[in-house]
Amino acid sequence: MAAPGILSWTPAAVVFDCDGTLMDTERHWQDARSLVLEEFGLAAGPGFAERAKGMHYTECARLMADEAGRPDLTAEMTERLLAHFTQLVSEDPVTMPGAVELVHGVGRFAPLTVASNCPFEIVESCLRTADLLDCFEHIVVPGDGIRPKPHPDPYLTAARLCGVAPAEALAVEDSEAGIRSAVGAGLRVLGVGPSPSAEAASLADLWVSSLAEPSVRGWAGDRMPRQRPGSNGRAARTARRRDAAAGTSGDDADADGP
């Protein structure tokens, strides 16, 4: 879709990635990978950081172990990678430029969901620290039948939980793996980041260098507000977040609507 088209469109739901899109955590993953390799006295091959971007941490650890010629260390490296990342992100949680403003702007007209390759507890903690947790009606993470990005499962699940067809939803993503996931699920994609790969840029409907770009902020501000949930909205959102993390539909929690 051409840029003017996507910026004149009102999606029925918006699904945000977390790492590198809402939260400035990609640098924490890079640092965590470096610490793990240092701990084990190993080195990754050239271009490893770009290949690993957006991967589920278990797949990333497996790739590190394989490329270092030590597949036998996969389990230990997985454990250490998550431990280092958890510590780093807890010490320095920072939102990406324009992310908070866009979430609040988009939340006026569409239900919001997070689809992430991170563990649920980390996503929830990051959003809570950024004071964004209650903006999202669902958090979708891999597990219980939901394969990680680049598989389409996270975005298919997010659209289903929001009660919309994938083609009616917008994904906001920064990584090629995440964009492949969203495109494979049938969502339109707003890509974000300063230096996308050629493949990522070609797959996205529109690419912007930052969520703080005036064109994006103006698009969010121009949409008509939607009807907000009633007084039970927060309890329903909490239940649906738990359902999303468990890979279930959360139908019992949907009485209040998105």
Side-chain angles (χ1 to χ4, degrees), residues 9-15 110-111 113 138 152-171 181-189 258:
W9 173 58
T10 302
V14 179
V15 187
T113 295
H138 314 284
D153 305 29
Y155 281 102
L156 286 171
T157 302
R160 175 174 56 79
L161 288 169
C162 287
V164 304
E168 297 175 349
L170 175 69
S181 174
V183 170
L187 281 73
R188 296 173 180 174
V189 179

mmCIF file of all heavy atoms in Angstrom, residues 9-15 110-111 113 138 152-171 181-189 258:
data_model
loop_
_atom_site.group_PDB
_atom_site.id
_atom_site.type_symbol
_atom_site.label_atom_id
_atom_site.label_comp_id
_atom_site.label_asym_id
_atom_site.label_seq_id
_atom_site.Cartn_x
_atom_site.Cartn_y
_atom_site.Cartn_z
ATOM 1 N N TRP A 9 -6.171 5.569 6.313
ATOM 2 C CA TRP A 9 -6.931 4.379 6.717
ATOM 3 C C TRP A 9 -7.109 4.361 8.225
ATOM 4 O O TRP A 9 -6.231 4.771 8.976
ATOM 5 C CB TRP A 9 -6.158 3.143 6.259
ATOM 6 C CG TRP A 9 -6.685 1.815 6.709
ATOM 7 C CD1 TRP A 9 -7.929 1.297 6.492
ATOM 8 C CD2 TRP A 9 -5.945 0.810 7.410
ATOM 9 N NE1 TRP A 9 -8.013 0.033 7.031
ATOM 10 C CE2 TRP A 9 -6.813 -0.294 7.588
ATOM 11 C CE3 TRP A 9 -4.642 0.738 7.905
ATOM 12 C CZ2 TRP A 9 -6.423 -1.451 8.251
ATOM 13 C CZ3 TRP A 9 -4.245 -0.419 8.557
ATOM 14 C CH2 TRP A 9 -5.124 -1.500 8.728
ATOM 15 N N THR A 10 -8.266 3.868 8.684
ATOM 16 C CA THR A 10 -8.509 3.704 10.118
ATOM 17 C C THR A 10 -8.599 2.218 10.432
ATOM 18 O O THR A 10 -9.598 1.569 10.111
ATOM 19 C CB THR A 10 -9.804 4.400 10.559
ATOM 20 O OG1 THR A 10 -9.729 5.789 10.234
ATOM 21 C CG2 THR A 10 -10.012 4.247 12.064
ATOM 22 N N PRO A 11 -7.572 1.630 11.026
ATOM 23 C CA PRO A 11 -7.615 0.198 11.343
ATOM 24 C C PRO A 11 -8.620 -0.098 12.445
ATOM 25 O O PRO A 11 -8.901 0.750 13.297
ATOM 26 C CB PRO A 11 -6.192 -0.106 11.798
ATOM 27 C CG PRO A 11 -5.668 1.206 12.288
ATOM 28 C CD PRO A 11 -6.313 2.257 11.442
ATOM 29 N N ALA A 12 -9.145 -1.321 12.435
ATOM 30 C CA ALA A 12 -10.095 -1.740 13.461
ATOM 31 C C ALA A 12 -9.387 -2.151 14.750
ATOM 32 O O ALA A 12 -10.014 -2.233 15.803
ATOM 33 C CB ALA A 12 -10.939 -2.899 12.943
ATOM 34 N N ALA A 13 -8.094 -2.409 14.672
ATOM 35 C CA ALA A 13 -7.272 -2.736 15.847
ATOM 36 C C ALA A 13 -5.829 -2.452 15.480
ATOM 37 O O ALA A 13 -5.453 -2.486 14.310
ATOM 38 C CB ALA A 13 -7.442 -4.198 16.254
ATOM 39 N N VAL A 14 -5.018 -2.173 16.487
ATOM 40 C CA VAL A 14 -3.592 -1.914 16.264
ATOM 41 C C VAL A 14 -2.795 -2.813 17.202
ATOM 42 O O VAL A 14 -3.070 -2.875 18.398
ATOM 43 C CB VAL A 14 -3.227 -0.434 16.497
ATOM 44 C CG1 VAL A 14 -1.728 -0.211 16.273
ATOM 45 C CG2 VAL A 14 -4.039 0.472 15.571
ATOM 46 N N VAL A 15 -1.817 -3.510 16.616
ATOM 47 C CA VAL A 15 -0.995 -4.454 17.361
ATOM 48 C C VAL A 15 0.456 -3.958 17.340
ATOM 49 O O VAL A 15 1.054 -3.826 16.272
ATOM 50 C CB VAL A 15 -1.073 -5.868 16.767
ATOM 51 C CG1 VAL A 15 -0.333 -6.865 17.668
ATOM 52 C CG2 VAL A 15 -2.523 -6.300 16.565
ATOM 53 N N ALA A 110 -8.992 2.777 18.429
ATOM 54 C CA ALA A 110 -8.886 1.337 18.156
ATOM 55 C C ALA A 110 -8.411 0.593 19.392
ATOM 56 O O ALA A 110 -7.635 1.130 20.185
ATOM 57 C CB ALA A 110 -7.903 1.094 17.002
ATOM 58 N N PRO A 111 -8.848 -0.652 19.575
ATOM 59 C CA PRO A 111 -8.297 -1.477 20.655
ATOM 60 C C PRO A 111 -6.841 -1.815 20.357
ATOM 61 O O PRO A 111 -6.461 -2.009 19.204
ATOM 62 C CB PRO A 111 -9.178 -2.732 20.636
ATOM 63 C CG PRO A 111 -9.724 -2.786 19.253
ATOM 64 C CD PRO A 111 -9.888 -1.369 18.796
ATOM 65 N N THR A 113 -3.207 -4.066 21.212
ATOM 66 C CA THR A 113 -2.643 -5.318 21.683
ATOM 67 C C THR A 113 -1.133 -5.268 21.492
ATOM 68 O O THR A 113 -0.649 -4.597 20.591
ATOM 69 C CB THR A 113 -3.234 -6.514 20.900
ATOM 70 O OG1 THR A 113 -4.629 -6.605 21.175
ATOM 71 C CG2 THR A 113 -2.584 -7.822 21.273
ATOM 72 N N HIS A 138 -4.728 -6.784 25.352
ATOM 73 C CA HIS A 138 -4.157 -8.129 25.287
ATOM 74 C C HIS A 138 -2.644 -8.039 25.179
ATOM 75 O O HIS A 138 -2.107 -7.070 24.630
ATOM 76 C CB HIS A 138 -4.659 -8.901 24.056
ATOM 77 C CG HIS A 138 -6.139 -8.809 23.834
ATOM 78 N ND1 HIS A 138 -7.052 -9.511 24.582
ATOM 79 C CD2 HIS A 138 -6.861 -8.085 22.945
ATOM 80 C CE1 HIS A 138 -8.277 -9.225 24.154
ATOM 81 N NE2 HIS A 138 -8.180 -8.361 23.179
ATOM 82 N N PRO A 152 3.403 -16.572 11.784
ATOM 83 C CA PRO A 152 2.290 -15.610 11.862
ATOM 84 C C PRO A 152 1.446 -15.715 13.130
ATOM 85 O O PRO A 152 0.596 -14.859 13.374
ATOM 86 C CB PRO A 152 1.445 -15.947 10.626
ATOM 87 C CG PRO A 152 1.722 -17.394 10.371
ATOM 88 C CD PRO A 152 3.170 -17.608 10.748
ATOM 89 N N ASP A 153 1.692 -16.741 13.954
ATOM 90 C CA ASP A 153 0.825 -17.025 15.097
ATOM 91 C C ASP A 153 0.572 -15.832 16.025
ATOM 92 O O ASP A 153 -0.583 -15.597 16.422
ATOM 93 C CB ASP A 153 1.385 -18.179 15.918
ATOM 94 C CG ASP A 153 1.621 -19.441 15.116
ATOM 95 O OD1 ASP A 153 1.888 -19.329 13.908
ATOM 96 O OD2 ASP A 153 1.574 -20.542 15.692
ATOM 97 N N PRO A 154 1.610 -15.070 16.433
ATOM 98 C CA PRO A 154 1.333 -13.967 17.365
ATOM 99 C C PRO A 154 0.338 -12.948 16.810
ATOM 100 O O PRO A 154 -0.552 -12.484 17.545
ATOM 101 C CB PRO A 154 2.717 -13.340 17.590
ATOM 102 C CG PRO A 154 3.668 -14.464 17.354
ATOM 103 C CD PRO A 154 3.064 -15.233 16.222
ATOM 104 N N TYR A 155 0.453 -12.628 15.539
ATOM 105 C CA TYR A 155 -0.445 -11.630 14.970
ATOM 106 C C TYR A 155 -1.815 -12.209 14.637
ATOM 107 O O TYR A 155 -2.831 -11.504 14.756
ATOM 108 C CB TYR A 155 0.204 -10.976 13.745
ATOM 109 C CG TYR A 155 1.213 -9.937 14.155
ATOM 110 C CD1 TYR A 155 2.570 -10.199 14.126
ATOM 111 C CD2 TYR A 155 0.803 -8.696 14.636
ATOM 112 C CE1 TYR A 155 3.492 -9.260 14.545
ATOM 113 C CE2 TYR A 155 1.706 -7.746 15.053
ATOM 114 C CZ TYR A 155 3.051 -8.033 15.011
ATOM 115 O OH TYR A 155 3.959 -7.092 15.441
ATOM 116 N N LEU A 156 -1.864 -13.466 14.242
ATOM 117 C CA LEU A 156 -3.168 -14.099 14.053
ATOM 118 C C LEU A 156 -3.930 -14.141 15.377
ATOM 119 O O LEU A 156 -5.134 -13.868 15.429
ATOM 120 C CB LEU A 156 -2.988 -15.515 13.498
ATOM 121 C CG LEU A 156 -2.576 -15.640 12.039
ATOM 122 C CD1 LEU A 156 -2.233 -17.082 11.698
ATOM 123 C CD2 LEU A 156 -3.685 -15.126 11.120
ATOM 124 N N THR A 157 -3.227 -14.492 16.441
ATOM 125 C CA THR A 157 -3.850 -14.551 17.763
ATOM 126 C C THR A 157 -4.304 -13.166 18.211
ATOM 127 O O THR A 157 -5.400 -12.994 18.758
ATOM 128 C CB THR A 157 -2.873 -15.144 18.788
ATOM 129 O OG1 THR A 157 -2.467 -16.448 18.354
ATOM 130 C CG2 THR A 157 -3.519 -15.249 20.160
ATOM 131 N N ALA A 158 -3.460 -12.157 17.978
ATOM 132 C CA ALA A 158 -3.803 -10.791 18.382
ATOM 133 C C ALA A 158 -5.065 -10.308 17.675
ATOM 134 O O ALA A 158 -5.963 -9.730 18.302
ATOM 135 C CB ALA A 158 -2.637 -9.854 18.089
ATOM 136 N N ALA A 159 -5.155 -10.548 16.376
ATOM 137 C CA ALA A 159 -6.346 -10.121 15.635
ATOM 138 C C ALA A 159 -7.585 -10.854 16.140
ATOM 139 O O ALA A 159 -8.658 -10.249 16.309
ATOM 140 C CB ALA A 159 -6.142 -10.374 14.141
ATOM 141 N N ARG A 160 -7.435 -12.157 16.392
ATOM 142 C CA ARG A 160 -8.586 -12.933 16.887
ATOM 143 C C ARG A 160 -9.058 -12.418 18.238
ATOM 144 O O ARG A 160 -10.261 -12.269 18.484
ATOM 145 C CB ARG A 160 -8.211 -14.412 16.965
ATOM 146 C CG ARG A 160 -9.297 -15.290 17.573
ATOM 147 C CD ARG A 160 -8.940 -16.763 17.496
ATOM 148 N NE ARG A 160 -7.671 -17.062 18.123
ATOM 149 C CZ ARG A 160 -7.506 -17.190 19.439
ATOM 150 N NH1 ARG A 160 -8.544 -16.993 20.260
ATOM 151 N NH2 ARG A 160 -6.327 -17.491 19.944
ATOM 152 N N LEU A 161 -8.116 -12.142 19.126
ATOM 153 C CA LEU A 161 -8.489 -11.653 20.451
ATOM 154 C C LEU A 161 -9.153 -10.284 20.390
ATOM 155 O O LEU A 161 -10.006 -9.958 21.219
ATOM 156 C CB LEU A 161 -7.255 -11.592 21.351
ATOM 157 C CG LEU A 161 -6.691 -12.937 21.810
ATOM 158 C CD1 LEU A 161 -5.338 -12.753 22.470
ATOM 159 C CD2 LEU A 161 -7.659 -13.619 22.767
ATOM 160 N N CYS A 162 -8.770 -9.489 19.400
ATOM 161 C CA CYS A 162 -9.403 -8.179 19.220
ATOM 162 C C CYS A 162 -10.745 -8.281 18.498
ATOM 163 O O CYS A 162 -11.480 -7.292 18.401
ATOM 164 C CB CYS A 162 -8.470 -7.252 18.437
ATOM 165 S SG CYS A 162 -7.046 -6.670 19.388
ATOM 166 N N GLY A 163 -11.052 -9.459 17.969
ATOM 167 C CA GLY A 163 -12.325 -9.660 17.288
ATOM 168 C C GLY A 163 -12.387 -9.039 15.910
ATOM 169 O O GLY A 163 -13.466 -8.672 15.445
ATOM 170 N N VAL A 164 -11.229 -8.940 15.234
ATOM 171 C CA VAL A 164 -11.216 -8.338 13.898
ATOM 172 C C VAL A 164 -10.512 -9.276 12.931
ATOM 173 O O VAL A 164 -9.711 -10.126 13.320
ATOM 174 C CB VAL A 164 -10.512 -6.965 13.894
ATOM 175 C CG1 VAL A 164 -11.161 -6.027 14.905
ATOM 176 C CG2 VAL A 164 -9.021 -7.101 14.168
ATOM 177 N N ALA A 165 -10.817 -9.114 11.646
ATOM 178 C CA ALA A 165 -10.095 -9.850 10.619
ATOM 179 C C ALA A 165 -8.674 -9.297 10.530
ATOM 180 O O ALA A 165 -8.466 -8.090 10.696
ATOM 181 C CB ALA A 165 -10.796 -9.712 9.272
ATOM 182 N N PRO A 166 -7.687 -10.141 10.265
ATOM 183 C CA PRO A 166 -6.311 -9.639 10.178
ATOM 184 C C PRO A 166 -6.144 -8.468 9.213
ATOM 185 O O PRO A 166 -5.394 -7.531 9.507
ATOM 186 C CB PRO A 166 -5.527 -10.866 9.701
ATOM 187 C CG PRO A 166 -6.291 -12.028 10.254
ATOM 188 C CD PRO A 166 -7.735 -11.617 10.144
ATOM 189 N N ALA A 167 -6.841 -8.492 8.110
ATOM 190 C CA ALA A 167 -6.710 -7.422 7.122
ATOM 191 C C ALA A 167 -7.232 -6.089 7.637
ATOM 192 O O ALA A 167 -6.930 -5.034 7.055
ATOM 193 C CB ALA A 167 -7.447 -7.804 5.839
ATOM 194 N N GLU A 168 -7.998 -6.110 8.724
ATOM 195 C CA GLU A 168 -8.534 -4.874 9.292
ATOM 196 C C GLU A 168 -7.638 -4.312 10.398
ATOM 197 O O GLU A 168 -7.948 -3.271 10.973
ATOM 198 C CB GLU A 168 -9.934 -5.137 9.869
ATOM 199 C CG GLU A 168 -10.954 -5.568 8.829
ATOM 200 C CD GLU A 168 -12.288 -5.942 9.447
ATOM 201 O OE1 GLU A 168 -12.354 -6.056 10.699
ATOM 202 O OE2 GLU A 168 -13.256 -6.118 8.703
ATOM 203 N N ALA A 169 -6.527 -5.003 10.671
ATOM 204 C CA ALA A 169 -5.654 -4.589 11.764
ATOM 205 C C ALA A 169 -4.316 -4.072 11.237
ATOM 206 O O ALA A 169 -3.862 -4.458 10.157
ATOM 207 C CB ALA A 169 -5.410 -5.760 12.725
ATOM 208 N N LEU A 170 -3.691 -3.222 12.007
ATOM 209 C CA LEU A 170 -2.393 -2.657 11.686
ATOM 210 C C LEU A 170 -1.353 -3.170 12.678
ATOM 211 O O LEU A 170 -1.580 -3.143 13.894
ATOM 212 C CB LEU A 170 -2.429 -1.132 11.754
ATOM 213 C CG LEU A 170 -1.090 -0.395 11.557
ATOM 214 C CD1 LEU A 170 -0.611 -0.535 10.112
ATOM 215 C CD2 LEU A 170 -1.227 1.078 11.944
ATOM 216 N N ALA A 171 -0.215 -3.628 12.175
ATOM 217 C CA ALA A 171 0.920 -3.999 13.016
ATOM 218 C C ALA A 171 1.945 -2.880 12.979
ATOM 219 O O ALA A 171 2.192 -2.281 11.933
ATOM 220 C CB ALA A 171 1.549 -5.299 12.516
ATOM 221 N N SER A 181 6.120 -11.921 10.308
ATOM 222 C CA SER A 181 5.027 -12.493 11.087
ATOM 223 C C SER A 181 3.715 -11.792 10.782
ATOM 224 O O SER A 181 2.685 -12.431 10.537
ATOM 225 C CB SER A 181 5.359 -12.381 12.580
ATOM 226 O OG SER A 181 4.274 -12.785 13.384
ATOM 227 N N ALA A 182 3.746 -10.453 10.810
ATOM 228 C CA ALA A 182 2.529 -9.678 10.576
ATOM 229 C C ALA A 182 2.009 -9.846 9.154
ATOM 230 O O ALA A 182 0.809 -10.029 8.931
ATOM 231 C CB ALA A 182 2.792 -8.208 10.877
ATOM 232 N N VAL A 183 2.912 -9.775 8.182
ATOM 233 C CA VAL A 183 2.504 -9.934 6.780
ATOM 234 C C VAL A 183 1.959 -11.336 6.542
ATOM 235 O O VAL A 183 0.945 -11.526 5.855
ATOM 236 C CB VAL A 183 3.694 -9.639 5.844
ATOM 237 C CG1 VAL A 183 3.368 -10.027 4.403
ATOM 238 C CG2 VAL A 183 4.068 -8.158 5.905
ATOM 239 N N GLY A 184 2.602 -12.336 7.133
ATOM 240 C CA GLY A 184 2.120 -13.705 6.989
ATOM 241 C C GLY A 184 0.736 -13.905 7.577
ATOM 242 O O GLY A 184 -0.036 -14.745 7.109
ATOM 243 N N ALA A 185 0.413 -13.116 8.596
ATOM 244 C CA ALA A 185 -0.914 -13.204 9.215
ATOM 245 C C ALA A 185 -1.961 -12.399 8.452
ATOM 246 O O ALA A 185 -3.160 -12.555 8.706
ATOM 247 C CB ALA A 185 -0.841 -12.701 10.659
ATOM 248 N N GLY A 186 -1.516 -11.523 7.549
ATOM 249 C CA GLY A 186 -2.451 -10.744 6.753
ATOM 250 C C GLY A 186 -2.690 -9.333 7.240
ATOM 251 O O GLY A 186 -3.610 -8.661 6.763
ATOM 252 N N LEU A 187 -1.871 -8.853 8.198
ATOM 253 C CA LEU A 187 -2.030 -7.481 8.686
ATOM 254 C C LEU A 187 -1.289 -6.505 7.784
ATOM 255 O O LEU A 187 -0.317 -6.875 7.117
ATOM 256 C CB LEU A 187 -1.489 -7.335 10.111
ATOM 257 C CG LEU A 187 -2.368 -7.828 11.260
ATOM 258 C CD1 LEU A 187 -2.415 -9.347 11.323
ATOM 259 C CD2 LEU A 187 -1.872 -7.265 12.598
ATOM 260 N N ARG A 188 -1.718 -5.251 7.792
ATOM 261 C CA ARG A 188 -0.932 -4.180 7.204
ATOM 262 C C ARG A 188 0.121 -3.767 8.223
ATOM 263 O O ARG A 188 -0.061 -3.958 9.427
ATOM 264 C CB ARG A 188 -1.830 -2.998 6.835
ATOM 265 C CG ARG A 188 -2.850 -3.361 5.750
ATOM 266 C CD ARG A 188 -3.840 -2.243 5.520
ATOM 267 N NE ARG A 188 -4.798 -2.595 4.494
ATOM 268 C CZ ARG A 188 -5.851 -1.858 4.159
ATOM 269 N NH1 ARG A 188 -6.074 -0.719 4.800
ATOM 270 N NH2 ARG A 188 -6.671 -2.238 3.207
ATOM 271 N N VAL A 189 1.213 -3.200 7.741
ATOM 272 C CA VAL A 189 2.361 -2.981 8.621
ATOM 273 C C VAL A 189 2.903 -1.562 8.503
ATOM 274 O O VAL A 189 3.181 -1.074 7.401
ATOM 275 C CB VAL A 189 3.493 -3.974 8.298
ATOM 276 C CG1 VAL A 189 4.696 -3.714 9.208
ATOM 277 C CG2 VAL A 189 3.018 -5.416 8.464
ATOM 278 N N PRO A 258 -14.030 -4.993 23.344
ATOM 279 C CA PRO A 258 -12.692 -4.446 23.359
ATOM 280 C C PRO A 258 -12.677 -3.003 23.767
ATOM 281 O O PRO A 258 -13.647 -2.313 23.690
ATOM 282 C CB PRO A 258 -12.240 -4.628 21.902
ATOM 283 C CG PRO A 258 -13.501 -4.688 21.122
ATOM 284 C CD PRO A 258 -14.525 -5.296 22.009
#
